[in-house]
Structures are given as structure tokens and as C-alpha cells.
């Protein structure tokens, strides 16, 4: 699926209309994404993310737009790198 909008670094909208929040520790992995970048959405069992966006040479943790990140788990994941 291609990107419809990625005007904010932490939010990406795909051509199907779905919107995703990018995990703060993965924002740098999205810098190379272009509108023609093909992304695949995969459901995952991760401590901080419910999904991953795969494509453009990156594996990016994400949550559907509007969902709250689990603060403690995010803090731990960012601290651990």
C-alpha cells in the first residue's frame, strides 16, 4: 500500500485511508519514505506497538491513529534503544 500523506513525522496515512502513529524511537527510519514507498501493515505482539509498517527498507512500530501509547513501556523501550 502506498502513502497518501506523511506531513507530520509521527503520523502516516495510507492509500486505504488508515492512519498510523509511528513509535517515537522509529521516526528516523521513516525519513526515506516517499509517496511511492510500498508499505505492508502487519499485526504484531509487541510491548509498545500493535502493528508494524514494513517497507522502504524499514520495519517501523506503529499504532492506529488515536490509540494511546503505553507510557511505561515506551519509556523503557526508548531507554533500551
Amino acid at each position: 500500500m502506498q502513502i497518501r500523506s506523511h506531513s507530520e513525522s509521527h503520523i502516516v496515512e495510507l492509500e486505504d485511508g488508515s492512519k498510523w502513529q509511528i513509535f517515537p524511537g522509529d521516526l528516523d527510519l521513516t525519513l526515506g519514505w516517499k509517496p511511492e514507498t510500498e508499505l505492508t501493515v502487519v499485526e504484531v505482539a509487541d510491548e509498545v506497538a500493535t502493528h508494524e509498517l514494513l517497507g522502504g527498507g524499514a520495519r517501523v512500530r506503529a499504532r492506529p491513529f488515536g490509540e494511546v501509547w503505553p507510557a511505561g513501556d515506551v519509556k523503557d523501550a526508548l531507554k533500551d534503544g
Side-chain angles (χ1 to χ4, degrees):
M1 210 171 322
Q2 291 186 330
I3 297 170
R4 177 183 292 168
S5 172
H6 189 206
S7 57
E8 295 182 59
S9 61
H10 65 290
I11 298 171
V12 64
E13 182 178 359
L14 302 180
E15 64 186 355
D16 68 351
S18 63
K19 283 180 146 183
W20 300 92
Q21 301 176 105
I22 306 300
F23 179 68
D26 293 346
L27 290 176
D28 62 319
L29 301 174
T30 69
L31 295 176
W33 286 358
K34 299 181 178 6
E36 62 273 6
T37 300
E38 288 287 333
L39 296 177
T40 302
V41 178
V42 178
E43 197 168 337
V44 295
D46 185 85
E47 293 176 0
V48 295
T50 58
H51 294 77
E52 286 184 343
L53 305 180
L54 310 174
R59 175 180 228 121
V60 175
R61 292 169 283 185
R63 283 185 168 270
F65 180 73
E67 280 193 12
V68 177
W69 292 98
D73 292 333
V74 168
K75 205 172 185 181
D76 290 343
L78 290 172
K79 183 174 55 176
D80 294 340

